[in-house]
Amino acid sequence: MIFEPEQETLPREQLRDLQTARLRALVGYVKERVPLYRERLADVEPGDIASVDDLGRLPFTRKDDLRDTYPFGMFAVPQEEVIRIHASSGTTGKLTVVGYTAADVDLFARVNARSLASAGAEPGMILHNAYGYGLFTGGLGLHYGGERLGMAVVPVSGGLTERQLMLIEDFRPDVISCTPSYALTLAQAFWDRGIAAGELSLRYALLGAEPWTEEMRIEIDAGLGVRSTNLFGLSEVIGPGVACECVEERAGSHVNEDHFLPEIVDPETGDPLPEGEEGLLVITTLTKEALPLVRYWTGDITSLDSRPCSCGRTLVRMGLIKGRADDMLIIRGVNVYPTQVETALLQLPELTPNYRIVVSRSGTLDEAEVEVEVSEAFLRDVGTESLSDELDHVHELRGRAERRLRESIGCSLQVTFVAPGTLPRSEGGKLQRVLDRRALA
């Protein structure tokens, strides 16, 4: 199902013309209304934008710009026109505050309805929404999107896993939305209860808010009996609904680029990269009123693909997020993303998707250790709860895991096995995969 076929299947040349017209209008809008852009765009006029190829003439906007103008200095409308305020977690400093006009809230609902339809949802279905409600944009974004599509939305929010299990069993929803790590938590909880995936009513899962891998998708699909799709968004841009995979191909998230103009740039230089090449995602909001952003530096590492898709959408597809530029670890001179570790580990059936990277410093060099839970089946096979290297099976598995990491990442990481249930689980929010003991020290 395509929620807005006229917009989502627009021929690429017509879409490009629409983007150009909206980009010109955006330049005039922000110059008139936002002091920061009035200064940075002093030498650029709307008429200077001949096409979207002129994006490079415009400056980047970074998260620090939002923090430096905290709380409302980037808003482009008077306070009385703002009807909702969200904010990011602020784990690394001041909150980044996002305002919405009535038109922005309407857009928020529409792009989330598009995403749900893309993921397989239909009017009349029940959506179990386990994204957090509150300042975080996830819960309300999917909630309004589900209602706009014509679904019955169960606003469960995150956490309280036992209640989640009960409601899924009793209400029998068709679709679930949550983080990938929490989907794994729920799948494991059902398994522990002796409830097989085939006994659940769930058919589709809309998962996002943190990087994940194809290997994790396989685990989630099997554990919950669903076809899971990737949902992408950023609070600063609008929240969830910036892009979503289609259930037909699940080969990249279709960006709603009639509203959000994406580009890929070199994370070091900011120079544009050709289609298909991996780099840093930059997004320009083309139609937002309260918080319009010009070339917002997302920090996410991915690529774009505009080849035709079997679902019929002409919107460009964005690959799974490899990680964030600021989440990248440099271990003995090698760039390492948590998703690379996950991909390598999940190729070994004796290991589970529950892992953590512990970073420390020995002298002047950073060191990394990977803690990963072994499967219940492996514990039974070794016949003991001890995971000491003195056991041949443990020693052999550790060697395979460390070799797989070395071959796929290019540097040596020490692997430590822990028993099932040892490492932290997601309770609905984003799961932190890296424990940085350098920061703690």
Side-chain angles (χ1 to χ4, degrees):
M1 174 184 175
I2 300 179
F3 180 66
E4 294 183 319
E6 185 175 343
Q7 292 83 12
E8 295 179 68
T9 63
L10 197 65
R12 293 291 306 171
E13 196 56 40
Q14 292 182 35
L15 177 58
R16 182 181 171 88
D17 291 342
L18 175 64
Q19 290 171 329
T20 299
R22 287 180 169 176
L23 183 60
R24 287 196 196 107
L26 173 69
V27 169
Y29 182 78
V30 297
K31 283 191 68 173
E32 178 185 348
R33 293 167 173 259
V34 182
L36 180 141
Y37 288 130
R38 187 177 305 123
E39 177 183 341
R40 293 188 181 176
L41 294 170
D43 297 329
V44 181
E45 297 297 331
D48 297 334
I49 307 297
S51 74
V52 290
D53 293 333
D54 292 326
L55 261 177
R57 299 190 58 181
L58 307 179
F60 293 112
T61 307
R62 299 179 186 261
K63 183 168 285 192
D64 281 346
D65 293 322
L66 296 171
R67 291 181 177 138
D68 291 344
T69 55
Y70 175 89
F72 308 136
M74 292 284 286
F75 285 11
V77 297
Q79 188 66 52
E80 57 269 22
E81 293 183 27
V82 175
I83 68 166
R84 186 190 299 175
I85 295 174
H86 281 290
S88 70
S89 61
T91 53
T92 57
K94 281 281 191 181
L95 297 171
T96 51
V97 181
V98 186
Y100 297 75
T101 65
D104 292 334
V105 169
D106 181 73
L107 172 63
F108 199 17
R110 285 167 49 209
V111 294
N112 276 285
R114 285 187 187 185
S115 298
L116 284 158
S118 178
E122 297 178 3
M125 287 184 173
I126 297 177
L127 170 64
H128 181 96
N129 187 16
Y131 277 116
Y133 284 65
L135 284 178
F136 174 60
T137 54
L140 284 172
L142 268 296
H143 186 112
Y144 280 85
E147 290 182 343
R148 178 65 65 91
L149 184 59
M151 306 179 74
V153 182
V154 184
V156 188
S157 194
L160 299 176
T161 298
E162 285 301 313
R163 185 177 66 175
Q164 305 262 1
L165 303 180
M166 179 187 71
L167 293 178
I168 291 172
E169 287 188 80
D170 294 349
F171 290 5
R172 301 194 62 76
D174 308 273
V175 185
I176 184 171
S177 54
C178 60
T179 64
S181 56
Y182 195 53
L184 276 176
T185 296
L186 293 173
Q188 181 63 52
F190 277 121
W191 175 262
D192 292 343
R193 281 184 164 203
I195 299 172
E199 300 176 55
L200 302 176
S201 61
L202 294 171
R203 297 167 56 193
Y204 305 108
L206 199 59
L207 310 176
E210 61 189 16
W212 54 310
T213 62
E214 291 295 338
E215 290 75 16
M216 185 180 283
R217 191 203 303 267
I218 293 170
E219 296 269 350
I220 293 168
D221 284 1
L224 292 178
V226 296
R227 279 181 67 81
S228 55
T229 50
N230 185 57
L231 173 68
F232 175 77
L234 303 96
S235 296
E236 301 90 333
V237 173
I238 199 167
V242 174
C244 187
E245 285 181 322
C246 61
V247 73
E248 290 87 353
E249 291 204 6
R250 301 197 297 176
S253 299
H254 289 282
V255 182
N256 289 309
E257 54 180 328
D258 50 335
H259 298 288
F260 312 112
L261 180 58
E263 53 181 320
I264 301 294
V265 303
D266 185 298
E268 299 294 329
T269 66
D271 294 335
L273 296 176
E275 182 174 309
E277 192 165 330
E278 193 173 81
L280 190 141
L281 177 67
V282 172
I283 295 179
T284 298
T285 65
L286 296 176
T287 57
K288 279 187 62 189
E289 293 182 342
L291 185 67
L293 294 175
V294 175
R295 303 191 80 197
Y296 184 67
W297 189 275
T298 69
D300 292 316
I301 304 297
T302 185
S303 60
L304 296 176
D305 181 0
S306 63
R307 289 177 297 179
C309 182
S310 63
C311 73
R313 293 173 179 84
T314 55
L315 303 170
V316 72
R317 283 179 286 177
M318 182 184 78
L320 281 174
I321 298 297
K322 182 177 181 179
R324 292 186 58 81
D326 49 5
D327 286 343
M328 183 183 74
L329 304 171
I330 302 177
I331 306 300
R332 296 187 174 271
V334 178
N335 297 345
V336 177
Y337 290 96
T339 51
Q340 293 175 295
V341 172
E342 180 178 302
T343 296
L345 293 177
L346 287 184
Q347 292 171 9
L348 301 177
E350 299 93 337
L351 303 181
T352 76
N354 302 304
Y355 71 97
R356 179 171 64 182
I357 304 171
V358 181
V359 184
S360 58
R361 179 163 293 158
S362 175
T364 59
L365 293 175
D366 289 342
E367 304 282 355
E369 172 191 5
V370 180
E371 299 176 340
V372 58
E373 293 181 11
V374 298
S375 67
E376 296 278 3
F378 179 76
L379 264 190
R380 289 195 297 271
D381 288 344
V382 299
T384 176
E385 292 186 1
S386 170
L387 293 170
S388 167
D389 252 3
E390 295 175 4
L391 296 173
D392 289 342
H393 289 317
V394 175
H395 181 74
E396 188 273 336
L397 177 59
R398 190 188 315 280
R400 280 193 287 134
E402 291 181 347
R403 184 168 58 253
R404 187 63 59 91
L405 287 168
R406 186 169 59 252
E407 291 172 350
S408 61
I409 295 174
C411 72
S412 296
L413 300 177
Q414 178 184 338
V415 173
T416 299
F417 297 139
V418 297
T422 302
L423 295 177
R425 296 293 194 270
S426 170
E427 283 299 325
K430 300 180 183 182
L431 184 61
Q432 296 299 316
R433 294 293 193 182
V434 177
L435 173 61
D436 191 344
R437 289 195 169 135
R438 300 167 303 177
L440 292 175

